[in-house]
Amino acid sequence: MKIPFQRGNQNPIRRRAQKCKTTALRLKYSVYYASFEKQQGSRVWMDGREMLMLSSNDYLGLTHHPRVVEAGRRALETWGSSSTGARLANGSRSYHEALEEKLADFLGAAGYATGLVGKWHNGAFDDRYHPLNRGFGEFLGFRGGWQDYWEWTLERDRAPFAADGRYLTDVFTSGAIDYIERHRNEPFFLHLAYNAPHFPFQAPEAEIDQFLKPGVSRRVATIYAMIQRVDLGIGRILQTLEERGLADNTIVMFMSDNGPQLDGEGEESTVRYNAGLRGAKQTVWEGGIRVPFIMRWPDGIEGRTSLDSLVHFTDWLPTLLDAAGVRYDPESFDGRSALPVLQGSTRAAESTRFWQWTRYEPLATSNAAMRDGDWKIVNHRKGWELYDMRKHRNESEDLATRFPERLASMVAAFDTWFASLPKRATPTSKKKKKK
């Protein structure tokens, strides 16, 4: 089902302050789900604002090679299939299976140049997980959770790259444009992983001031200024694609990893617009897992539309491989290709999905959820609740007592799924021997 395209973002404060560059992208998903860093049953670990690009000089067909550019943080860094096909119940980022194939591996083997610019929340303590060991041919960014936006230290491939006075978001934008320029005459894949607006909250003072108004904390104004720099950077990247004649056959995908952090008090408060959804980052309420997604591919999909088919982060690996004409075993992936839906098929997308997130050890009764068509169950440490997402997108009315059979069947399905996931021991520090 297609509904009218809505221009720009719907946050009234940010909408008044700027023209959103991402409206140049063409297709918007209204029901798009992220995965958590340690989501069970998924080989995706993510955390950020993603923009993906897949591109080529070839005329686009499913047997040819569109380019891909991705902007954000760590969305696709570990997409892939396990050599054993096993789904891991515990997926700490630092302990990804070394033999798993990632999106960059697949595309690199198919003849694409592969590059990562930005944040890579892997490999800080184990070089096996350095981007250059995970399918990427080039890397400009940092390994770990965060960097100062002014006093940053990056890597260019493996060589240190010290701060030079530029704002970090602008460094990543320029790095992405440089990558496109150098690879514009060949198929390329670029994962642009902006870390903004992640902590530390820093932006030029003049840009913060334009967002200050009654009811908006200084912290929130700073976050909006950080997002604006990302927005302007994406505008520069899209302009580069246009100027180089690459826009029509380049798949550009912009997405977020999870809902916003909403906490703090006074001028330190981060509480802000979240589309009226319940919950925030690190929860399985809609406000924590239902995130923005915009895509542009003029040669491959109809533009200026919005789709309400349910799509999950894990779907993009098979989707992009289909678009690039790369063969794969569909049973080896957790996701399913959304390409038919993107190109107008009336075939329903996969509508049953599971989530579970806890910081260190998976727990079936904590921060867990399942979506089955229009129905969703949530267990946020207080027992299972049931919601009809057609009527209550904000999860405001628990229907568990009204539809006990529906609840029981979904809980049973969740338990079956959770029990099917092989457990994996998490490395622990060795105990010191007593002298």
Side-chain angles (χ1 to χ4, degrees):
M1 174 181 177
K2 296 179 180 178
I3 59 178
F5 181 87
Q6 298 178 20
R7 188 170 183 81
N9 68 73
Q10 300 303 303
N11 183 332
I13 297 174
R14 289 203 65 239
R15 192 169 65 243
R16 283 198 301 269
Q18 64 172 315
K19 293 182 179 179
C20 184
K21 302 298 181 183
T22 54
T23 59
L25 305 182
R26 300 172 67 89
L27 178 145
K28 182 178 71 174
Y29 258 105
S30 61
V31 188
Y32 175 65
Y33 283 107
S35 164
F36 280 110
E37 299 157 355
K38 304 180 183 67
Q39 181 203 349
Q40 299 203 46
S42 171
R43 303 184 187 92
V44 180
W45 285 258
M46 65 198 69
D47 190 11
R49 270 49 58 191
E50 279 71 39
M51 184 173 176
L52 176 90
M53 299 185 219
L54 180 65
S55 189
S56 168
N57 292 321
D58 298 335
Y59 172 75
L60 178 66
L62 294 187
T63 58
H64 291 78
H65 304 283
R67 296 178 179 82
V68 174
V69 178
E70 175 212 5
R73 278 193 297 117
R74 291 198 354 254
L76 305 176
E77 65 191 27
T78 55
W79 265 6
S81 62
S82 167
S83 58
T84 63
R87 294 176 171 85
L88 305 178
N90 190 336
S92 174
R93 306 187 198 101
S94 296
Y95 303 102
H96 291 164
E97 290 295 331
L99 296 180
E100 281 189 342
E101 293 180 282
K102 310 297 180 267
L103 178 59
D105 291 310
F106 281 102
L107 293 176
Y112 283 81
T114 57
L116 169 65
V117 174
K119 177 176 177 176
W120 177 257
H121 205 159
N122 282 307
F125 305 107
D126 190 334
D127 195 63
R128 291 178 300 166
Y129 304 102
H130 190 285
L132 298 185
N133 293 329
R134 307 305 282 162
F136 290 101
E138 298 182 26
F139 173 52
L140 171 63
F142 64 90
R143 291 178 282 166
W146 60 275
Q147 281 280 324
D148 189 278
Y149 285 84
W150 299 107
E151 299 299 326
W152 41 264
T153 300
L154 306 179
E155 292 178 81
R156 193 186 299 276
D157 292 334
R158 296 183 184 276
F161 178 27
D164 56 13
R166 289 180 293 166
Y167 186 65
L168 185 55
T169 298
D170 298 339
V171 175
F172 291 154
T173 297
S174 296
I177 292 173
D178 174 67
Y179 180 87
I180 294 169
E181 294 282 10
R182 288 186 290 105
H183 294 284
R184 67 180 186 271
N185 294 319
E186 62 181 323
F188 68 74
F189 164 55
L190 171 61
H191 174 185
L192 171 56
Y194 287 116
N195 57 317
H198 194 281
F199 171 89
F201 303 110
Q202 299 170 333
E205 288 297 319
E207 296 180 25
I208 296 172
D209 291 344
Q210 67 178 301
F211 292 104
L212 288 172
K213 60 168 292 182
V216 177
S217 71
R218 185 165 189 83
R219 178 62 50 81
V220 169
T222 303
I223 290 170
Y224 288 161
M226 296 168 76
I227 294 172
Q228 178 172 255
R229 277 297 181 105
V230 171
D231 190 44
L232 294 171
I234 292 172
R236 290 177 56 199
I237 292 166
L238 296 179
Q239 182 178 358
T240 299
L241 294 174
E242 292 284 351
E243 291 174 350
R244 296 304 181 189
L246 304 175
D248 288 348
N249 198 34
T250 298
I251 298 173
V252 181
M253 300 166 64
F254 176 87
M255 62 200 84
S256 183
D257 61 332
N258 47 241
Q261 173 186 346
L262 302 176
D263 57 20
E265 297 181 355
E267 290 303 309
E268 301 300 311
S269 172
T270 62
V271 177
R272 59 195 186 275
Y273 175 86
N274 196 23
L277 301 177
R278 182 179 181 182
K281 180 178 180 178
Q282 298 186 347
T283 76
V284 294
W285 305 113
E286 293 292 279
I289 61 176
R290 187 167 177 165
V291 296
F293 174 82
I294 309 174
M295 179 176 183
R296 184 179 78 171
W297 182 18
D299 281 354
I301 59 173
E302 181 182 350
R304 309 193 70 77
T305 60
S306 180
L307 302 182
D308 59 7
S309 296
L310 191 156
V311 175
H312 188 273
F313 242 120
T314 54
D315 295 333
W316 295 126
L317 173 58
T319 300
L320 291 172
L321 295 184
D322 277 350
V326 178
R327 293 184 178 181
Y328 62 92
D329 176 10
E331 296 305 315
S332 68
F333 298 152
D334 295 300
R336 295 293 178 263
S337 176
L339 187 63
V341 175
L342 291 171
Q343 295 185 325
S345 172
T346 57
R347 188 191 74 180
E350 175 66 42
S351 62
T352 303
R353 305 287 176 156
F354 303 90
W355 293 263
Q356 195 286 317
W357 188 89
T358 39
R359 176 64 71 179
Y360 298 108
E361 185 67 22
L363 299 172
T365 57
S366 175
N367 211 19
M370 172 187 175
R371 180 79 187 257
D372 183 16
D374 292 321
W375 293 94
K376 181 182 177 183
I377 57 172
V378 177
N379 190 334
H380 198 61
R381 306 180 183 90
K382 296 182 180 180
W384 288 104
E385 301 170 4
L386 175 68
Y387 298 98
D388 182 346
M389 302 307 294
R390 293 171 303 176
K391 300 178 180 179
H392 304 107
R393 190 183 69 142
N394 60 355
E395 296 163 295
S396 59
E397 184 176 350
D398 180 9
L399 302 176
T401 58
R402 290 179 55 186
F403 299 96
E405 293 182 359
R406 159 60 68 173
L407 176 67
S409 67
M410 291 183 67
V411 170
F414 179 91
D415 290 342
T416 298
W417 167 77
F418 193 90
S420 73
L421 303 174
K423 299 298 185 291
R424 167 182 162 184
T426 301
T428 55
S429 59
K430 295 180 180 180
K431 295 181 178 180
K432 294 182 179 180
K433 293 182 180 180
K434 294 182 179 180
K435 295 182 178 180

